Amino acid sequence: MNKEQIILIQPFKDLNIKDANEIAIKIKEFSPKVEILKPIDFPENSYYLPRNRYRADLIIKYLNKNTEFGFVKLGLTSKDISATKGKNLDFGIMGLGYRPGKACVASNFRLDKRNNEQFFKIAIHELGHTLGLKHCPNKTCFMRDAEGGNPTNEETGFCDKCKAYLKTNNWKFN
């Protein structure tokens, strides 16, 4: 890509706007061009009644089609989200992003609500995917695979390899 992108934080109406603001501040440490949009409703087709949750793939498809070139849209929610994983058609997840792409979504539903640091780590992980990063084998890297759990408390930052890649997308690191 080698182009600075503007990150648009798209909160859904269920989310406390304070959470979106806190995540925006932390993302600005890496990528200063961050804007918070007005909260919106979920796309109607994304609700999955049998499990009372929202399909992450349909959410990011909706966000993607409404995102112009040069922008990345990060959807934030406190609702339960899911995606198909292997033979499991409705696997509960914390986030999902197109790799590479223009849209991703993160949810704090499966996270410790008293620890917004976990929510930030899920959001930054999904943004990494939108920029083209794969899962990282380094267990302390933000890009590690959750492997069906919540390893966010073990993550301390991007590893050197992931940082080098993100720097090609004009991300900044101290």
Side-chain angles (χ1 to χ4, degrees):
M1 251 173 218
N2 293 331
K3 181 187 180 307
E4 191 164 19
Q5 292 185 316
I6 297 171
I7 297 170
L8 302 174
I9 295 180
Q10 179 59 76
F12 288 95
K13 287 183 178 176
D14 64 284
L15 187 77
N16 183 332
I17 199 67
K18 177 179 87 53
D19 293 336
N21 288 329
E22 286 180 21
I23 288 175
I25 289 166
K26 289 180 180 283
I27 291 171
K28 284 180 182 181
E29 293 174 16
F30 301 101
S31 182
K33 294 190 177 191
V34 178
E35 298 174 20
I36 300 177
L37 304 174
K38 290 184 177 174
I40 61 170
D41 290 316
F42 286 95
E44 277 187 41
N45 69 338
S46 68
Y47 184 67
Y48 186 66
L49 181 62
R51 299 293 295 272
N52 188 32
R53 55 188 175 195
Y54 293 83
R55 296 289 303 181
D57 52 343
L58 297 174
I59 293 169
I60 62 175
K61 183 177 181 180
Y62 173 80
L63 294 174
N64 187 65
K65 88 172 178 183
N66 295 304
T67 305
E68 296 176 30
F69 180 79
F71 294 85
V72 170
K73 205 169 277 180
L74 166 64
L76 296 177
T77 181
S78 62
K79 296 289 187 185
D80 196 10
I81 61 174
S82 64
T84 300
K85 182 174 181 172
K87 293 183 180 183
N88 189 333
L89 298 178
D90 189 59
F91 186 77
I93 59 174
M94 297 176 285
L96 186 69
Y98 285 137
R99 186 184 61 83
K102 298 184 299 184
C104 56
V105 64
S107 168
N108 69 2
F109 182 84
R110 298 172 184 282
L111 305 174
D112 181 345
K113 304 298 184 285
R114 299 160 298 171
N115 184 351
N116 241 12
E117 187 70 20
Q118 289 184 350
F119 197 18
F120 160 72
K121 289 176 181 180
I122 299 302
I124 203 83
H125 173 99
E126 297 310 333
L127 285 171
H129 282 320
T130 64
L131 293 173
L133 281 174
K134 295 180 182 180
H135 284 140
C136 179
N138 184 321
K139 296 298 182 192
T140 61
C141 182
F142 289 153
M143 292 310 298
R144 79 177 283 181
D145 189 339
E147 299 173 347
N150 177 1
T152 55
N153 289 335
E154 299 165 23
E155 298 169 359
T156 58
F158 288 106
C159 71
D160 289 341
K161 185 177 177 186
C162 290
K163 278 183 189 176
Y165 179 84
L166 291 169
K167 284 178 182 178
T168 68
N169 287 277
N170 295 311
W171 279 36
K172 311 286 186 256
F173 296 92
N174 295 338

